[in-house]
Amino acid sequence: MPTIIAQGKVFDCPIGAMRPVLLQHEIDLHNSDNVINCRGRGTCETCAV
């Protein structure tokens, strides 16, 4: 299982589950306060991942 380091936190993440695990650890997924959110589909171009 890969280890993720994000915003000073370290945790394990099952392959293919990065978005839900980041949300579970309260990691901000977006680079800005933009209200556009495609829910991980890759269409709004604001993901920090």
Side-chain angles (χ1 to χ4, degrees):
M1 187 173 327
T3 299
I4 304 295
I5 302 170
Q7 297 179 358
K9 299 178 183 179
V10 180
F11 45 89
D12 293 327
C13 177
I15 294 174
M18 185 179 288
R19 187 176 199 282
V21 170
L22 290 173
L23 291 172
Q24 176 185 1
H25 287 88
E26 299 180 358
I27 303 295
D28 187 13
L29 302 180
H30 299 92
N31 288 320
S32 68
D33 292 332
N34 194 338
V35 295
I36 298 171
N37 184 347
C38 67
R39 305 195 105 6
R41 293 184 194 97
T43 57
C44 69
E45 300 179 5
T46 63
C47 288
V49 178

